[in-house]
């Protein structure tokens, strides 16, 4: 057993840290999220040049063929920097589907993804579906070799920036059957695809996406028709593992900032960090963080295991991260007093991002239940 | 002890309900209606808040908790309880507390006749909007360390300093302000309570945008602001006594039981319409349990508040009990906002810009079912309640010291 990082992994971490230092201080981030575009295309290009968009892909596909530990490092550092560029959406989630797609699909799509020319978003959530990845009404009906896609997806993260979408759709079965779900690659420019784009509370962007008689041919089908559910679960778990890493990055900044603030802010003639009730709160924040780091390592090391083990690991980690995100976010604001409530300070922005990670791909309740069903 | 409503109470309830139905219009008074707040401009907001205030003023129901001779009403605690409940049920615009709950009772207790006349009149009619100038960058929880100073110059005080977190100062005509008039003795002993006209030269109000994207609080800079000596309340250097009296009243108002009840009803409606694996979320046992626990907690608070009110009606002013009401009241409000956020699932994410801050950037679009609008912002914004009005840590310190004798 070994929890240490290799020299290469530390180097990777340093590379990202200096990227963030140079390009992503808090004011620059503010400019980016307030711009019309909502993200920085320059940053995206730089991430491509650093090779980061190729982290999980095989060398054959033009990637770095790194493990989930490297993805975890990237996501954690992005979490520290509150990076809004859609790394997880494009590389981890959509990349997760694509690296398991056919040779032809990989050749067609991966070069442009890895080079930073195309951003990808995964359209899975539906208004009635909450966190159930199999509760799908969007339908793809087949005639001959072609499919026709109809229906609505909601809160599709990163879709405003994306050129390509991966869409989960029902090709057979009832609304929440696990069988009968298929995955399609959809060009956002296709006839019949329309989006309503908006900013999200955590500084990112998302869309409501509608499909109206969108024509797809069979080359856009990922894997076998009707059999996508297991793959969706797998990639969702990989995404959760990356989100956990992003979350611990954000938590670590909040904890450090809060401790530092409590050492310097004086009331009643002493640093407020001298008040024991605040000390204990910060100790609890610290313990929550450490527990979250442990669960994040655990899930990232278990992604290769069998479905049930992996799924338990992901759900367990997500429960820990949700609870810690809430406690650390709320506590950081509280200990900063009025300052914690301001838009000017970074504290509120980390709190908001952590709050959104709580709901992304299922909140604590959802994963507690999933965990207990798997046990 | 008796928990029942009399026939007279029932009649009173009907009268109140009818009055609200006939006079409250959610369109005109939408200013503070959370579900609609993003559709309202800041001028409309002020107008909206005041329009309900003015309706109540005309009816004579604007200050039930004041003594009758100053424009109050001698409602029993049961009637006040009914009134709060009916207002919450109808979702009436919350009244701004700075004049009615905070300053009014101060003036009644400490003001001179002249002040009792003009200050109370302006509060009752709504013609004067008051804001609270207590906190400073260096004086938050440790309020007594405040440094904004007032120096006597003939018939005036000359005030210099910097207030912060001043709620809705952007609308205010007047500010009641704690200032330092002496550096002798303990810090508490050199504080005075001044009424400052916000139109006096030397005052600058700067907005602070909060995490929810709203503009509610401000910084107020005071530079050589000349305040007539007659605007001193009580004696010079007795401001701390007044300030503490006022904070006691502020905390009582913060419990917000009736509105929390209403918010829980709304949360249940949402949980009934949100689906979870094809079933209403309300049927999900773990979510249901969380709501139920919250309801029980609120019931306990309700009866704690009623016990406090009953004591008060026997002439015992709000004591340390008000700290319990503040802590529990705000914790419950925060929990409601948290569960509401949880209920709406994926639609937690879209950012709806409050119209009052549209000129600070970002465009506006409504996304998702109506009941999801502004829920996230409300959750983030509600974090303020355990910070303001004396943080919940400070309230616990007060109970530890004053009640438990620690
Ligand atoms: C089942 C059991 C087995 C034990 N076994 C051993 C043993 O094998 N060998 C041995 O030497 N001792 C043993 N102890 C004793 C144990 O170490 C002491 O009980 C412990 O150190 C607390 O001391 P105390 O009981 O005097 O409580 P106190 O020190 O009086 O503490 C009372 C309360 O005040 C709190 N408190 C005290 N100081 C502070 C502070 N600065 N800040 C915040 N809170 C504070 C404590 O947390 C506690 O809640 C045992 C105790 C128990 C209950
Ligand atoms: C939305 C909002 C509206 C407000 N409106 C007004 C207004 O209209 N007028 C006005 O005058 N003020 C207003 N305030 C200010 C409010 O009263 C202060 O924010 C509050 O008193 C806390 O002070 P602070 O922000 O300086 O935090 P600090 O006092 O610096 O506190 C920081 C943290 O330290 C903790 N802490 C401090 N001292 C102790 C202690 N002794 N023991 C344990 N913990 C401690 C606090 O609980 C808090 O968690 C408002 C604040 C907010 C957020």
């Amino acid at each position: 057993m070994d929890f240490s990082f290799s020299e290469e992994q530390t180097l990777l971490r340093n590379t990202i840290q200096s990227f963030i230092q140079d390009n992503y201080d808090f004011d620059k981030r503010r400019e980016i999220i307030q711009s019309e575009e909502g993200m920085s295309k320059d940053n995206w290009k730089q991430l491509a040049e650093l090779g980061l968009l190729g982290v999980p892909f095989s060398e054959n596909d033009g990637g770095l063929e790194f493990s989930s530990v490297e993805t975890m490092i990237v996501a954690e550092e992005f979490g520290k920097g509150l990076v809004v560029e859609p790394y997880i959406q494009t590389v981890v989630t959509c990349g997760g589907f694509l690296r398991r797609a056919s040779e032809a699909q990989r050749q067609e799509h991966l070069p442009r993804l890895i080079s930073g020319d195309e951003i990808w978003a995964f359209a899975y959530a539906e208004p009635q579906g909450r966190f159930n990845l199999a509760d799908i009404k969007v339908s793809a009906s087949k005639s001959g070799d072609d499919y026709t896609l109809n229906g609505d997806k909601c809160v599709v993260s990163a879709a405003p920036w994306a050129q390509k979408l991966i869409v989960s759709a029902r090709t057979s079965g009832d609304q929440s059957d696990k069988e009968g779900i298929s995955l399609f690659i959809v060009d956002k420019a296709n006839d019949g695809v329309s989006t309503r784009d908006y900013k999200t509370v955590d500084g990112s962007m998302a869309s409501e996406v509608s499909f109206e008689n969108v024509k797809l041919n069979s080359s856009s089908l990922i894997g076998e028709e009707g059999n996508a559910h297991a793959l969706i679960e797998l990639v969702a778990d990989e995404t959760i593992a990356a989100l956990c890493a992003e979350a611990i990055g954000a938590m670590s900044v909040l904890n450090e900032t809060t401790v530092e603030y409590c050492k310097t802010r004086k009331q009643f003639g002493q640093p407020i960090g001298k008040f024991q009730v605040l000390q204990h709160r910060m100790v609890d924040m610290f313990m929550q963080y450490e527990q979250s780091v442990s669960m994040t390592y655990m899930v990232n090391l278990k992604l290769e295991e069998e479905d049930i083990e992996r799924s338990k690991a992901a759900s367990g980690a997500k429960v820990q991260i949700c609870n810690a995100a809430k406690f650390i976010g709320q506590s950081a604001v509280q200990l900063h007093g009025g300052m914690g409530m301001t838009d000017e300070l970074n504290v509120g922005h980390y709190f908001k991002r952590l709050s959104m990670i709580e709901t992304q791909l299922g909140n604590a309740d959802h994963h507690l239940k999933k965990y207990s069903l798997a046990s | 002890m008796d928990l029942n409503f009399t026939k007279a109470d029932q009649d009173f309830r009907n009268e109140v309900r009818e009055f609200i139905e006939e006079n409250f219009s959610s369109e005109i008074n939408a200013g503070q209606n959370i579900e609609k707040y993003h559709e309202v401009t800041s001028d409309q907001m002020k107008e909206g808040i005041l329009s309900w205030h003015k309706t109540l003023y005309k009816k004579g129901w604007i200050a039930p908790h004041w003594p009758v001779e100053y424009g109050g009403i001698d409602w029993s605690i049961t009637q006040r309880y009914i009134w709060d409940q009916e207002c919450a049920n109808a979702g009436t615009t919350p009244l701004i507390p700075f004049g009615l709950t905070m300053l009014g009772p101060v003036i009644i207790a400490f003001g001179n006749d002249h002040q009792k006349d003009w200050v109370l009149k302006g509060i009752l009619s709504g013609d004067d909007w008051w804001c609270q100038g207590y906190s400073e960058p260096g004086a938050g929880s440790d309020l007594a360390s405040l440094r904004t100073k007032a120096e006597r110059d003939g018939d005036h005080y000359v005030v210099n300093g910097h207030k912060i977190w001043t709620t809705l100062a952007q609308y205010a005509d007047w500010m009641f302000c704690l200032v330092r008039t002496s550096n002798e003795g303990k810090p508490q002993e050199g504080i005075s309570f001044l009424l400052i006209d916000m139109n006096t030269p030397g005052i600058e109000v700067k907005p602070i945008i909060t995490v929810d994207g709203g503009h509610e609080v401000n910084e107020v800079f005071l530079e050589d602001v000349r305040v007539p000596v007659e605007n001193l309340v009580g004696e010079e250097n007795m401001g701390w006594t007044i300030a503490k009296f006022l904070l006691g009243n502020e905390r009582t108002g913060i419990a917000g039981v009736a509105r929390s009840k209403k918010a829980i009803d709304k949360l249940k409606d949402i949980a009934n319409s949100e689906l979870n694996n094809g079933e209403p979320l309300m049927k999900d046992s773990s979510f249901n349990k969380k709501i139920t626990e919250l309801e029980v907690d609120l019931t306990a608070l309700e009866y704690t508040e009623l016990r406090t009110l009953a004591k008060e009606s026997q002439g015992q002013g709000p004591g340390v009990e008000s700290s319990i009401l503040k802590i529990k009241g705000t914790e419950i409000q925060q929990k409601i906002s948290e569960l509401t956020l949880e209920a709406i699932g994926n639609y937690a994410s879209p950012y709806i810009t409050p119209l009052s801050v549209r000129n600070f950037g970002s465009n506006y679009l409504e996304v998702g079912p109506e009941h999801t609008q502004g829920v996230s912002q409300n959750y983030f914004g509600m974090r303020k309640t355990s910070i303001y009005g004396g943080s919940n840590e400070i309230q616990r310190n007060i109970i530890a010291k004053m009640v438990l004798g620690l």
Side-chain angles (χ1 to χ4, degrees):
Chain A
M1 211 168 272
D2 179 13
F3 287 110
S4 60
F5 294 103
S6 70
E7 222 170 279
E8 291 78 31
Q9 288 167 339
T10 304
L11 215 66
L12 174 71
R13 193 186 288 281
N14 294 342
T15 307
I16 305 165
Q17 282 175 348
S18 55
F19 163 79
I20 287 172
Q21 224 160 37
D22 297 345
N23 302 283
Y24 233 87
D25 68 34
F26 191 58
D27 289 331
K28 282 201 185 129
R29 175 183 186 269
R30 188 187 292 279
E31 261 172 50
I32 293 171
I33 66 175
Q34 286 181 348
S35 67
E36 186 79 21
E37 182 75 29
M39 67 167 275
S40 159
K41 288 274 153 76
D42 278 353
N43 281 343
W44 195 248
K45 272 282 162 204
Q46 277 199 58
L47 295 179
E49 277 157 27
L50 292 169
L52 293 178
L53 301 185
V55 162
F57 304 107
S58 71
E59 286 180 10
N60 265 341
D61 288 337
L64 298 176
E65 207 163 332
F66 282 165
S67 73
S68 54
V69 174
E70 280 81 4
T71 298
M72 176 178 88
I73 291 170
V74 177
E76 182 181 355
E77 293 306 321
F78 281 4
K80 291 182 192 165
L82 276 185
V83 170
V84 296
E85 280 71 27
Y87 186 85
I88 293 183
Q89 297 93 320
T90 298
V91 177
V92 180
T93 312
C94 290
F97 291 121
L98 289 172
R99 65 197 170 95
R100 294 167 175 108
S102 70
E103 175 82 35
Q105 286 168 328
R106 295 201 313 272
Q107 278 181 6
E108 184 185 349
H109 298 296
L110 283 181
R112 295 180 57 76
L113 186 157
I114 294 170
S115 66
D117 290 310
E118 272 180 1
I119 288 173
W120 288 63
F122 178 35
Y124 61 93
E126 300 188 7
Q128 83 291 344
R130 201 168 171 82
F131 306 126
N132 182 348
L133 297 170
D135 192 333
I136 294 176
K137 281 205 219 171
V138 166
S139 68
S141 52
K142 193 169 188 180
S143 64
D145 268 354
D146 294 342
Y147 296 89
T148 308
L149 194 63
N150 275 296
D152 300 320
K153 293 286 184 183
C154 70
V155 200
V156 183
S157 178
W161 305 314
Q163 287 73 38
K164 297 275 166 58
L165 304 174
I166 293 178
V167 182
S168 59
R170 188 154 291 291
T171 38
S172 66
D174 288 335
Q175 191 178 312
S176 47
D177 286 353
K178 291 184 175 159
E179 266 84 65
I181 299 168
S182 306
L183 283 168
F184 294 94
I185 296 169
V186 179
D187 198 316
K188 223 177 74 179
N190 267 3
D191 278 350
V193 181
S194 59
T195 62
R196 287 175 72 207
D197 301 344
Y198 49 87
K199 306 237 175 197
T200 57
V201 288
D202 51 358
S204 179
M205 290 189 77
S207 309
E208 304 294 282
V209 184
S210 299
F211 306 100
E212 209 187 326
N213 295 322
V214 178
K215 299 284 174 222
L216 303 169
N217 62 36
S218 56
S219 71
S220 46
L221 178 71
I222 297 179
E224 279 171 51
E225 182 189 299
N227 253 340
H229 188 254
L231 178 59
I232 292 174
E233 287 283 340
L234 166 63
V235 171
D237 288 346
E238 289 174 348
T239 306
I240 285 171
L243 284 172
C244 289
E246 185 189 349
I248 61 170
M251 289 176 201
S252 73
V253 175
L254 272 186
N255 281 0
E256 277 165 31
T257 311
T258 304
V259 168
E260 203 41 51
Y261 187 78
C262 289
K263 282 182 184 165
T264 49
R265 168 70 174 169
K266 285 197 175 136
Q267 288 288 276
F268 303 100
Q270 54 189 314
I272 57 174
K274 290 279 176 219
F275 298 120
Q276 196 175 51
V277 70
L278 302 192
Q279 289 176 351
H280 285 194
R281 177 93 80 118
M282 285 184 276
V283 170
D284 287 342
M285 291 163 77
F286 171 74
M287 293 197 297
Q288 283 284 7
Y289 166 71
E290 288 296 331
Q291 295 278 78
S292 300
V293 172
S294 304
M295 287 301 248
T296 301
Y297 288 4
M298 184 276 294
V299 62
N300 276 285
L301 295 171
K302 284 197 170 194
L303 288 174
E304 308 284 323
E305 304 217 347
E306 272 176 50
D307 285 356
I308 291 192
E309 262 314 290
R310 184 205 70 231
S311 161
K312 262 180 76 178
S315 287
K318 191 74 198 312
V319 169
Q320 167 61 34
I321 260 71
C322 288
N323 293 338
K326 184 173 285 157
F327 180 73
I328 290 174
Q330 292 180 352
S331 299
V333 171
Q334 181 68 22
L335 269 50
H336 278 80
M339 287 307 295
M341 288 300 297
T342 63
D343 178 68
E344 185 195 332
L345 226 65
N346 66 13
V347 172
H349 296 263
Y350 282 95
F351 172 44
K352 288 193 273 189
R353 178 63 196 133
L354 282 173
S355 304
M356 291 305 110
I357 290 178
E358 272 185 59
T359 42
Q360 258 175 296
L361 285 171
N363 62 12
D365 268 8
H366 174 82
H367 284 287
L368 262 181
K369 223 160 278 166
K370 230 178 139 198
Y371 187 97
S372 109
L373 287 176
S375 298
Chain B
M1 278 202 199
D2 185 4
L3 290 179
N4 294 315
F5 294 110
T6 62
K7 166 85 173 53
D9 293 333
Q10 295 294 356
D11 291 346
F12 177 74
R13 187 187 291 279
N14 292 338
E15 183 191 354
V16 164
R17 195 171 288 176
E18 218 166 89
F19 172 75
I20 294 175
E21 238 167 52
E22 276 168 20
N23 292 281
F24 180 75
S25 131
S26 54
E27 280 94 70
I28 304 173
N29 301 294
Q32 285 286 298
N33 194 334
I34 292 292
E35 305 103 283
K36 300 265 182 207
Y37 76 106
H38 56 275
E39 294 170 5
V40 179
T41 67
S42 67
D43 283 350
Q44 282 173 315
M45 196 118 129
K46 181 173 183 183
E47 215 176 283
I49 296 163
L50 283 176
S51 89
W52 179 232
H53 181 118
K54 290 187 170 167
T55 308
L56 291 179
Y57 170 60
K58 252 187 258 156
K59 173 79 179 169
W61 282 1
I62 189 66
H65 54 294
W66 290 13
V68 179
E69 69 258 45
Y70 297 109
I73 329 167
D74 52 359
W75 281 348
S76 66
I77 57 159
T78 315
Q79 285 173 310
R80 271 161 67 179
Y81 169 83
I82 291 171
W83 170 246
D84 283 347
Q85 252 190 349
E86 292 301 319
C87 286
N89 284 342
T92 62
T93 322
L95 298 169
I96 298 302
F98 302 109
L100 288 168
T101 330
M102 298 186 196
L103 182 61
V106 160
I107 295 295
I108 292 168
F110 299 97
N112 59 34
D113 287 344
H114 176 59
Q115 289 163 345
K116 280 180 184 165
D117 183 47
W118 76 266
V119 176
L120 299 184
K121 256 190 203 148
I123 292 173
L124 289 171
S125 67
D127 289 342
D128 293 334
W129 184 302
W130 287 88
C131 67
Q132 180 186 25
Y134 275 29
S135 307
E136 297 180 9
S141 297
D142 183 11
L143 185 57
S145 68
L146 63 92
R147 294 219 303 251
T148 293
K149 71 176 181 215
E151 286 167 308
R152 192 69 186 262
D153 176 24
D155 288 344
H156 286 81
Y157 285 104
V158 180
V159 181
N160 279 286
H162 179 186
K163 295 291 174 181
I164 194 168
W165 316 120
T166 326
T167 299
L168 301 179
Q170 70 265 38
Y171 302 143
D173 307 297
W174 287 87
M175 169 165 70
F176 55 89
C177 193
L178 292 181
V179 293
R180 181 152 302 287
T181 38
S182 163
N183 288 313
E184 313 267 305
K186 289 202 319 190
Q188 286 83 345
E189 288 163 10
I191 294 171
S192 298
F193 194 101
L194 274 189
L195 309 177
I196 302 181
D197 184 342
M198 291 297 277
N199 287 316
T200 323
I203 298 182
E204 192 192 353
V205 177
K206 274 198 188 155
I208 298 173
I209 301 304
T210 40
V211 279
D212 51 348
H215 171 202
E216 185 176 300
V217 287
N218 302 273
E219 289 184 272
V220 179
F221 295 90
L222 303 114
E223 203 189 328
D224 292 331
V225 176
R226 297 184 68 81
V227 181
V229 168
E230 68 214 41
N231 287 3
L232 175 73
V233 177
E235 307 278 310
E236 200 174 271
N237 297 331
M238 77 174 282
W240 189 250
T241 310
I242 302 177
K244 280 202 305 190
F245 172 87
L246 182 149
L247 285 173
N249 287 315
E250 176 180 359
R251 280 163 205 153
T252 331
I254 276 172
V257 170
R259 289 196 188 258
S260 286
K261 272 195 180 174
K262 179 75 180 168
I264 290 181
D265 287 346
K266 174 126 197 280
L267 168 58
K268 285 182 182 169
D269 286 346
I270 294 176
N272 271 315
S273 66
E274 286 283 336
L275 294 177
N276 182 46
N277 296 319
E279 292 254 307
L281 179 61
M282 196 60 195
K283 288 200 175 157
D284 178 271
S285 59
S286 51
F287 196 76
N288 191 298
K289 176 166 179 274
K290 286 189 262 193
I291 296 188
T292 311
E293 276 173 349
L294 196 56
E295 240 183 309
V296 172
D297 213 16
L298 182 58
T299 307
L301 178 64
E302 180 178 9
Y303 281 89
T304 304
E305 182 178 54
L306 287 173
R307 282 171 56 217
T308 312
L309 285 175
K311 258 200 206 165
E312 219 179 295
S313 73
Q314 290 159 4
Q316 291 166 269
V320 275
E321 297 88 341
S322 63
S323 290
I324 307 181
L325 300 181
K326 200 273 172 169
I327 296 170
K328 288 306 295 181
T330 54
E331 284 177 355
I332 287 170
Q333 288 159 25
Q334 290 180 333
K335 193 74 190 172
I336 296 171
S337 75
E338 196 176 305
L339 289 185
T340 309
L341 181 71
E342 202 176 313
I344 64 171
N346 295 309
Y347 278 113
S349 175
Y351 177 72
I352 316 292
T353 319
L355 217 154
S356 64
V357 290
R358 269 264 188 105
N359 46 350
F360 291 96
S362 184
N363 50 351
Y364 166 71
L365 182 75
E366 208 162 297
V367 183
E370 188 167 346
H371 67 246
T372 65
Q373 309 296 313
V375 166
S376 297
Q377 278 104 320
N378 188 46
Y379 167 68
F380 301 131
M382 286 310 281
R383 303 312 309 168
K384 72 188 172 195
T385 64
S386 50
I387 295 169
Y388 67 24
S391 76
N392 286 10
E393 283 82 7
I394 294 298
Q395 305 298 342
R396 286 185 164 89
N397 288 350
I398 291 173
I399 296 177
K401 196 169 156 191
M402 310 300 288
V403 183
L404 306 182
L406 293 165

